[in-house]
Amino acid sequence: MPNTGVLYFRVRAYVGDGAENAPESFSEVTALNVVLPEDTGAGSGIEMSSWGIVGSAANDWGATPDIPFYTTETPDVIVSYANLIAGEIKFRENNTWGGDLGDATLDGILDADPDNNIVIAEAGSYKVTINLSDNSYTIEEYFWGIVGSAAPNGWDGPNVKLAYDYNTDTFKAVVQLIDGEMKVRMNDKWDTSYGDGNLDGVLDTDADNNIAVTAGYYLLTVNFNTLEYTLEETTIWGLVGSATPNGWDGPDTKFTPDFANPGVWTIDSIDLVDGEIKVRANDAWDTSYGDLESDGILDTENDNNISVVAGTYKVTIDFSDEASPTIVIE
């Protein structure tokens, strides 16, 4: 249902208690535009846990916030979908030390013993599950991705990875597709893959179930509890300019949305040269932003290119307040 509309009202005035035949009058009808706020709360019932992953494989031992865990439908069981590098990890609450847990004996049961860091041998995307009732845990390779002739890396991959959105308990990705076909598969392998043979919006493993798509910019959302999915045209923000790898002509270096924080988009690492940059949507100049005042507030003024010096940067844009979007370059 739409969240905007017009409310019409007028004022009635009468003498006394408004009994029958009492003198009365009415004002002229006045129209009032109404916008109902959208529900931005977590409607899935899933919540962010107080526990997180810390370590050289996760966040340089706390240089940034710990990778979060989320609650599940099973009491005391929490899960994290974490991109880790080779190194070590531990688990702790509220981004603070004291009561942190590891696995000194490598028996699959968390403990607080000395020298209990857990080794991550290989960089990758992992599903980490902890049962707080008995301190058992598992770490397994786990990610879903988009593959196919329509996808950026074709049928051979690597896949475009989907990210977890706890607000909806779904996995999502924004991706630029070309005319062709696609499927969804796990861990860059064909052991587990889905298409949509009868085009009913529910993923299946039927024969000839490739999903045909036309070129465009899309948001894919998949509920792996029900296998329902949607593929919707969307806006994908990118970084363009003389300082970027592909110059002013693009294609732009794409931002990745933070689905847990709607409106926030990040490029974790980009190598820039001396030059200028801007932010634009869908590799086109229809919608673009710079920063004329160099105050971190994006604007659409003339001559608002953002000057940068050569280096490797993390760039974050925040459109949660569309009237005053921001950019952080660090």
Side-chain angles (χ1 to χ4, degrees):
M1 296 177 62
N3 68 326
T4 61
V6 180
L7 175 66
Y8 298 94
F9 66 94
R10 61 179 180 173
V11 177
R12 175 193 177 206
Y14 52 83
V15 175
D17 58 5
E20 187 177 358
N21 297 324
E24 62 181 0
S25 62
F26 294 88
S27 69
E28 294 183 358
V29 174
T30 300
L32 178 66
N33 292 321
V34 177
V35 179
L36 299 176
E38 296 183 14
D39 181 10
T40 57
S44 65
I46 304 299
E47 298 178 351
M48 190 176 293
S49 168
S50 58
W51 286 89
I53 304 174
V54 65
S56 60
N59 62 347
D60 195 18
W61 293 113
T64 58
D66 298 353
I67 299 174
F69 280 88
Y70 302 99
T71 62
T72 67
E73 294 182 350
T74 304
D76 293 325
V77 175
I78 57 177
V79 64
S80 178
Y81 302 97
N83 294 317
L84 302 175
I85 62 174
E88 297 178 321
I89 62 170
K90 298 183 76 169
F91 308 118
R92 64 178 183 173
E93 278 196 283
N94 300 317
N95 293 275
T96 59
W97 293 107
D100 47 276
L101 300 175
D103 187 3
T105 57
L106 302 178
D107 61 354
I109 303 298
L110 296 173
D111 56 62
D113 298 342
D115 302 320
N116 62 350
N117 294 349
I118 300 169
V119 175
I120 302 299
E122 185 177 349
S125 298
Y126 295 90
K127 179 181 180 180
V128 184
T129 306
I130 299 177
N131 188 329
L132 296 172
S133 64
D134 60 10
N135 278 355
S136 62
Y137 76 99
T138 58
I139 301 176
E140 57 186 315
E141 183 185 23
Y142 185 92
F143 67 90
W144 291 97
I146 303 168
V147 67
S149 60
N153 299 316
W155 284 111
D156 294 328
N159 299 353
V160 176
K161 292 182 178 180
L162 280 66
Y164 182 63
D165 177 11
Y166 83 98
N167 294 295
T168 56
D169 195 22
T170 60
F171 286 79
K172 297 179 177 180
V174 293
V175 60
Q176 181 180 359
L177 300 174
I178 61 175
D179 293 340
E181 297 178 323
M182 57 167 273
K183 297 184 79 166
V184 177
R185 66 176 181 174
M186 180 187 287
N187 297 345
D188 275 343
K189 300 174 183 176
W190 289 111
D191 302 18
T192 305
S193 66
Y194 292 103
D196 185 5
N198 53 11
L199 301 178
D200 62 351
V202 179
L203 295 175
D204 57 56
T205 57
D206 299 343
D208 301 321
N209 63 349
N210 293 348
I211 302 168
V213 297
T214 57
Y217 299 82
Y218 291 93
L219 168 65
L220 173 66
T221 302
V222 183
N223 183 333
F224 285 103
N225 300 307
T226 64
L227 293 184
E228 295 174 295
Y229 78 98
T230 58
L231 187 64
E232 308 167 275
E233 290 191 82
T234 192
T235 295
I236 301 178
W237 294 102
L239 205 63
V240 67
S242 60
T244 65
N246 297 318
W248 285 111
D249 294 329
D252 304 352
T253 301
K254 302 301 190 295
F255 288 86
T256 300
D258 181 351
F259 293 113
N261 295 287
V264 177
W265 299 67
T266 303
I267 298 174
D268 282 327
S269 180
I270 182 173
D271 293 326
L272 300 176
V273 299
D274 292 341
E276 297 178 321
I277 59 173
K278 296 188 80 167
V279 175
R280 66 176 182 173
N282 294 353
D283 293 296
W285 288 112
D286 302 18
T287 305
S288 66
Y289 290 91
D291 184 5
L292 181 64
E293 302 296 333
S294 299
D295 58 359
I297 307 297
L298 292 173
D299 58 62
T300 57
E301 305 296 333
N302 294 326
D303 303 318
N304 63 350
N305 294 350
I306 302 169
S307 296
V308 296
V309 297
T312 301
Y313 293 91
K314 176 181 180 181
V315 184
T316 303
I317 55 176
D318 186 348
F319 281 86
S320 57
D321 180 359
E322 293 185 359
S324 185
T326 61
I327 184 169
V328 176
I329 305 170
E330 54 189 337

